[in-house]
Amino acid sequence: FPSSKMVDPTLAEMGKNLNEAMKMLEDNQRKEEENEKKYTRKDIPGPLQGSGQDMVSILQLVQNLMHGEEEEESSQAYRLQNVGEQGHMALLGHSLAAYISVLDRERLRKLTTRILSDTTLWLCRLFRYENGSAYYHEDDREGLLKICRLVIHTRYEDYLVEGFNVLYAKQPVIYISSASRMGLGQALCNQLGLPLSCMCRVPCNTMFGSQHQMDVALLDRLIKDDAESGKLPLLLVANAGKCWTPGAGHTDKLGRLKELCEQYNMWLHVEGVNLATLALGYVSSSVLAATKCDSMTLTLGSWLGLPAVPAVTLYRHEDPSLSLAAGLTTSQPVEKLRALPLWLSLQYLGHDGIVERIKHASQLSQRLLENLKNLDFIKTSVEDELSSPVVVFKFFQEYANRDQTPHAAPTSAIQRPIKSNERHVYDTFNQWLGEQLAQLVPASGVDVVELEDEGTCVRFSPLMTSAVLGTEIQDVDQLVDCLKMKIPILTSTLQLREEFEQEVKRTVGLVYIEDLSWPGLGVVRYSYHNDGKNDDKQEKELEKINTELLKKLNDLESDLSFSLGPEFGGEKNCVYIGMVTEDLDVSELVETIAATGREIEENSRLLENMTEVVRKGIQEAQLQLQKANEERLLEEGLLRQIPVVSSVLNWFSPFQASPKGRTFNLTAGSLESTESTYVSKAQGTGTTPPPTPTSSLAKQRLPGQKIFKRSLRSSDAFSETSSVSHCDDLEKMEQRPSALSPGHEQGQTEKGSKEQQQAATLVTAAESDTVPSDKSPSACAQADEQGSQR
């Protein structure tokens, strides 16, 4: 903003201050002192300072409020970094509007008229809407609301005088698609003061044609029925690529709908993201028909990445007095300044810049759509509209037999109806897929939408996000690469869910919990044996066991994720298993869960039994100590209990008493005498505890192979290499001294036979397919013969 080229120095100062303010707000670097303090004194609300603050301090406070509590949300910071110069022009427009409003009335009128006429002319030419007028509004629904008022004023001549009486005599009817955004009809009725009966939702095609387009034949019958019943068909709201809640990018048959509206003298209003393609050189015939409609709403802010610019409703009407009565035009010059931010931004971008941004978004959609068509198990919802800037896709596996190979060609798939449970599972998996893609590729701007017939899908709408997020072709390619990595995980998990369910149901002690809203392998609960405990204690024991089970499973070196499930809506006292790969050994996983649960239960019961034994031992020790004190009183006599007399008696006649202590053996669970300790001057070890049983789940694994993973080698390849690996094991064992395991050594000691120990050594070596180095084959045979004779 060079001040030398400006007549008014205030404008130059305003532009300079705005640039400095934006640079300060967009600076995301923090001082180390600010990072260490989560809350500072400035964050605490206080009284308004009497002396005031400078602009730098105020902007610093605004920056702290913007970024202080959102340091972890990188998406917000990313949006602010991509405002760009065109965004600065839009923000400058708001400042200029406030400054221009202080001009005298005549200058303000001329300036606002020029701004309004220029912006309207540019938009009408840019989007092929001839002889149109424009209404600028903040809420995107406000334009449709004012259009409804205009139509009511037009169709009801006495509305200005009679008011609602004319509406009561002949009730108006507004028709909207059942695929429109939620709450649109109710919002219109509330603002217009009409009953909900004035709103008619038109179903989409269910038998013939697209399932997302308005049923024209049914609409014709509805209009005829309303006209015959004394109602007045007033207005029809059509869609050109729904960019709101179920935004699937489908366009209604606008040409046929326009003919129907002309037949019944109705107003046709169109809205949707596909209207942006009207600015391109090539426009599909379905979208081009929108130029013949009576009004349309454009949301240029999201399409071009312009912050805080108003939406625009273009319309055609011949009576300016009715437009003024409906609120579409105003005599207040200040209200006309709403178009100033858009006026500045359009001039900054220029015609080529605007077209280039919309073209870039369409190319991103086409790039993704072309890649999705080459992927198996991905179904797209907008295949008949190649020019649609919205791509909606979902993961779907069309197999009647789940035993088929997951990477088989989809042409051999057998079509079958989807059950309600499977539909819910697919919705859950696609919800997980959309969240994963949005997290891995945040610049893509993908989100999750719910379609009435398709269920949960992933939506890519670059016209609504690419200008702000700065989405490029490489972001789309990265999105496809991430999708390719997630598809095998989805297919494997989907196929192994049934196997996991069957394995859990066959395993004693485990209960399978059906949770269709969990994106993973499944949910399992370990249920211990009930010993007649009450429900509260049983619930606490169950929670304790499953919590410990979850902890032990997470300590294992595996690629699986174990959790307590979702924070809200999940089952209690369960272990939730996440997504898995195709090399998962389901049987080993279920066996490990069951064995770990049993181990935890046994340890818990052992602790409870030991607690009870200790309690009883303490009571028994107290009784024995009391009995010993009574015996000591009888043995020593009453005189020896008197302090002074006892010392005199002990001096004349010393009393020798053997110490009688007690020790509690935790292994045996009984009280024992300490007489042997005093005799041997050493504490005995007592009975040797039984050895800890080793886990039966340990299996031979390949180097680097993690737990719960199957070997991908075939059985034939394994048999060919088994002899080689067996010989290698023999050579390793020959270099190693033979040794007995603790369990075998203890068993042979109890038998007390040295020959049996040698035989047991040979039997152990034979079971492990090894031969001890100090035994020849003949000695092995002789030992086996001696063992069989015994």
Side-chain angles (χ1 to χ4, degrees):
F1 298 95
S3 59
S4 60
K5 297 183 179 181
M6 288 191 176
V7 178
D8 192 349
T10 308
L11 294 179
E13 187 68 20
M14 183 185 303
K16 180 181 178 181
N17 292 338
L18 179 65
N19 282 338
E20 294 178 356
M22 291 304 301
K23 289 180 180 179
M24 184 176 299
L25 291 177
E26 291 178 351
D27 186 10
N28 293 326
Q29 295 181 355
R30 299 288 185 274
K31 297 180 180 180
E32 296 181 359
E33 296 80 9
E34 294 177 354
N35 285 332
E36 295 177 357
K37 299 180 181 179
K38 186 175 183 181
Y39 298 101
T40 61
R41 188 176 182 84
K42 296 181 180 180
D43 296 329
I44 303 175
L48 185 63
Q49 297 185 9
S51 59
Q53 301 185 48
D54 57 357
M55 186 183 66
V56 177
S57 301
I58 297 175
L59 292 178
Q60 184 65 38
L61 176 60
V62 174
Q63 181 184 8
N64 293 338
L65 294 176
M66 291 170 58
H67 302 284
E69 298 178 357
E70 298 178 356
E71 294 179 355
E72 298 180 357
E73 299 181 4
S74 59
S75 60
Q76 298 294 334
Y78 192 76
R79 284 177 178 269
L80 291 175
Q81 292 175 1
N82 287 274
V83 170
E85 291 293 336
Q86 76 281 356
H88 292 182
M89 295 300 297
L91 299 177
L92 178 62
H94 292 276
S95 301
L96 286 177
Y99 174 71
I100 294 174
S101 62
V102 302
L103 297 177
D104 60 89
R105 188 174 184 83
E106 184 62 24
R107 289 188 179 183
L108 180 60
R109 184 187 62 80
K110 291 182 180 180
L111 181 58
T112 54
T113 303
R114 172 63 184 274
I115 292 173
L116 198 61
S117 60
D118 286 353
T119 309
T120 302
L121 178 62
W122 296 338
L123 292 177
C124 289
R125 289 182 176 178
L126 188 63
F127 294 97
R128 307 169 186 254
Y129 199 81
E130 299 178 358
N131 301 324
S133 302
Y135 172 65
Y136 302 89
H137 47 93
E138 302 298 334
D139 188 358
D140 52 8
R141 298 177 299 182
E142 187 179 354
L144 177 57
L145 174 64
K146 296 298 177 65
I147 290 296
C148 292
R149 294 186 186 276
L150 174 63
V151 180
I152 289 176
H153 282 281
T154 304
R155 297 297 303 274
Y156 294 92
E157 297 180 358
D158 299 332
Y159 181 73
L160 290 175
V161 180
E162 299 293 336
F164 69 90
N165 289 327
V166 295
L167 301 180
Y168 178 78
K170 199 169 186 178
Q171 180 177 337
V173 182
I174 301 175
Y175 302 89
I176 62 174
S177 173
S178 60
S180 298
R181 44 181 166 169
M182 300 298 296
L184 177 61
Q186 184 176 2
L188 292 177
C189 290
N190 292 338
Q191 294 295 326
L192 296 172
L194 299 177
L196 292 178
S197 58
C198 294
M199 193 62 54
C200 179
R201 296 182 66 87
V202 183
C204 295
N205 291 34
T206 55
M207 297 298 295
F208 304 99
S210 175
Q211 297 181 356
H212 303 277
Q213 293 178 337
M214 193 182 303
D215 193 335
V216 181
L218 181 57
L219 174 63
D220 190 4
R221 291 196 298 268
L222 292 174
I223 296 175
K224 287 181 180 180
D225 294 341
D226 291 336
E228 293 175 358
S229 62
K231 299 180 180 180
L232 180 62
L234 194 68
L235 181 140
L236 172 64
V237 182
N239 294 312
K242 299 175 285 295
C243 56
W244 297 279
T245 28
H250 298 274
T251 302
D252 291 327
K253 301 175 182 179
L254 300 180
R256 182 70 180 91
L257 294 178
K258 179 58 179 175
E259 296 175 359
L260 195 62
C261 290
E262 291 178 351
Q263 178 182 351
Y264 293 100
N265 193 20
M266 294 174 54
W267 187 283
L268 178 60
H269 179 82
V270 182
E271 58 184 17
V273 68
N274 287 358
L275 295 177
T277 59
L278 291 173
L280 302 179
Y282 170 77
V283 186
S284 63
S285 58
S286 59
V287 180
L288 189 61
T291 58
K292 305 300 181 182
C293 65
D294 298 299
S295 61
M296 65 170 64
T297 297
L298 309 175
T299 55
L300 297 170
S302 57
W303 298 350
L304 304 177
L306 304 176
V309 298
V312 184
T313 296
L314 302 179
Y315 65 97
R316 296 189 185 98
H317 199 267
E318 298 177 355
D319 193 346
S321 62
L322 295 181
S323 300
L324 181 62
L328 288 170
T329 58
T330 178
S331 58
Q332 298 296 328
V334 177
E335 295 186 8
K336 296 180 181 180
L337 290 174
R338 291 179 181 176
L340 182 57
L342 192 57
W343 183 74
L344 294 174
S345 301
L346 293 178
Q347 290 186 91
Y348 181 83
L349 291 174
H351 182 275
D352 296 339
I354 296 172
V355 173
E356 183 62 28
R357 284 178 176 269
I358 299 176
K359 183 179 179 181
H360 175 67
S362 300
Q363 291 175 348
L364 294 176
S365 298
Q366 296 305 313
R367 179 66 170 260
L368 179 61
L369 187 60
E370 292 174 358
N371 288 310
L372 292 181
K373 290 183 177 180
N374 299 326
L375 296 180
D376 296 336
F377 312 117
I378 294 297
K379 179 181 178 182
T380 57
S381 298
V382 190
E383 294 184 355
D384 55 336
E385 301 182 25
L386 298 178
S387 60
S388 174
V390 181
V391 179
V392 178
F393 61 93
K394 63 179 297 186
F395 166 76
F396 185 72
Q397 187 174 357
E398 297 178 346
Y399 287 111
N401 185 7
R402 292 291 178 83
D403 296 335
Q404 296 186 16
T405 305
H407 299 288
T411 55
S412 61
I414 303 176
Q415 300 289 343
R416 62 180 176 86
I418 302 178
K419 300 179 182 179
S420 59
N421 289 350
E422 292 182 355
R423 169 71 178 268
H424 201 159
V425 171
Y426 277 116
D427 291 346
T428 302
F429 276 40
N430 283 283
Q431 177 78 25
W432 178 84
L433 176 62
E435 294 174 354
Q436 289 290 313
L437 295 178
Q439 183 179 0
L440 294 174
V441 194
S444 64
V446 295
D447 59 349
V448 180
V449 294
E450 297 287 340
L451 300 182
E452 184 176 357
D453 54 340
E454 296 289 344
T456 304
C457 300
V458 183
R459 175 178 59 183
F460 177 67
S461 182
L463 259 177
M464 305 298 293
T465 59
S466 63
V468 175
L469 299 178
T471 311
E472 299 294 341
I473 294 294
Q474 55 268 24
D475 297 322
V476 177
D477 296 339
Q478 183 182 359
L479 181 66
V480 175
D481 294 338
C482 294
L483 186 59
K484 291 179 179 178
M485 291 189 300
K486 298 300 179 182
I487 289 177
I489 298 177
L490 290 169
T491 54
S492 302
T493 305
L494 185 63
Q495 290 184 344
L496 294 176
R497 279 174 70 98
E498 295 183 2
E499 181 181 351
F500 176 75
E501 179 180 356
Q502 299 300 325
E503 287 288 341
V504 171
K505 290 181 178 179
R506 287 195 297 262
T507 305
V508 179
L510 297 183
V511 178
Y512 179 79
I513 306 299
E514 185 176 12
D515 190 351
L516 301 179
S517 61
W518 172 249
L521 183 64
V523 186
V524 64
R525 173 187 296 155
Y526 182 82
S527 179
Y528 70 101
H529 304 288
N530 188 7
D531 296 337
K533 301 179 180 179
N534 54 24
D535 295 339
D536 294 339
K537 189 172 183 180
Q538 181 180 357
E539 187 72 17
K540 292 181 180 179
E541 291 293 334
L542 186 63
E543 179 181 1
K544 181 180 179 181
I545 292 177
N546 284 275
T547 302
E548 186 67 20
L549 174 62
L550 176 63
K551 181 180 179 181
K552 287 184 175 294
L553 291 176
N554 284 323
D555 292 340
L556 298 176
E557 295 182 358
S558 66
D559 295 333
L560 301 182
S561 62
F562 304 94
S563 65
L564 293 175
E567 183 178 359
F568 302 101
E571 294 284 342
K572 295 182 179 180
N573 305 328
C574 296
V575 176
Y576 285 75
I577 306 174
M579 293 288 176
V580 298
T581 54
E582 61 179 351
D583 58 349
L584 174 68
D585 193 337
V586 178
S587 60
E588 183 185 359
L589 171 63
V590 175
E591 184 182 358
T592 302
I593 295 175
T596 307
R598 286 193 298 268
E599 180 182 356
I600 297 173
E601 181 183 1
E602 292 173 359
N603 293 338
S604 177
R605 292 181 181 275
L606 179 61
L607 182 60
E608 290 181 0
N609 296 335
M610 184 179 296
T611 304
E612 183 67 19
V613 168
V614 171
R615 186 181 64 84
K616 292 181 179 180
I618 293 175
Q619 293 178 355
E620 184 179 353
Q622 290 176 348
L623 294 177
Q624 292 189 13
L625 289 176
Q626 184 178 0
K627 185 178 179 180
N629 290 332
E630 294 176 356
E631 293 178 354
R632 184 172 61 84
L633 289 175
L634 295 176
E635 185 177 359
E636 293 180 358
L638 182 60
L639 293 178
R640 291 185 182 273
Q641 307 306 318
I642 302 175
V644 179
V645 177
S646 62
S647 59
V648 175
L649 290 178
N650 290 332
W651 185 72
F652 282 106
S653 177
F655 179 81
Q656 299 293 333
S658 60
K660 296 181 179 180
R662 296 290 185 270
T663 180
F664 184 75
N665 192 338
L666 290 176
T667 305
S670 61
L671 287 173
E672 298 177 357
S673 176
T674 58
E675 184 176 358
S676 59
T677 304
Y678 287 101
V679 172
S680 61
K681 305 299 182 180
Q683 187 174 0
T685 57
T687 307
T688 303
T692 303
T694 58
S695 175
S696 61
L697 301 175
K699 78 174 190 178
Q700 186 177 2
R701 300 184 182 280
L702 297 176
Q705 183 180 0
K706 292 188 176 182
I707 192 173
F708 308 138
K709 296 294 184 180
R710 296 196 313 266
S711 176
L712 298 180
R713 296 183 302 177
S714 61
S715 59
D716 296 338
F718 181 79
S719 62
E720 292 175 358
T721 58
S722 60
S723 59
V724 179
S725 60
H726 180 66
C727 295
D728 295 338
D729 293 340
L730 288 177
E731 293 178 0
K732 293 179 181 179
M733 291 300 298
E734 289 177 356
Q735 299 173 1
R736 220 186 285 169
S738 59
L740 289 174
S741 61
H744 285 95
E745 185 178 356
Q746 181 180 357
Q748 300 304 329
T749 303
E750 295 176 355
K751 293 182 180 180
S753 174
K754 183 176 180 180
E755 295 180 356
Q756 290 179 353
Q757 290 181 6
Q758 296 176 354
T761 304
L762 297 177
V763 170
T764 305
E767 290 178 353
S768 60
D769 293 337
T770 58
V771 179
S773 58
D774 57 345
K775 298 293 181 181
S776 62
S778 59
C780 294
Q782 182 179 1
D784 291 339
E785 183 179 358
Q786 293 177 358
S788 61
Q789 292 177 0
R790 291 188 181 90

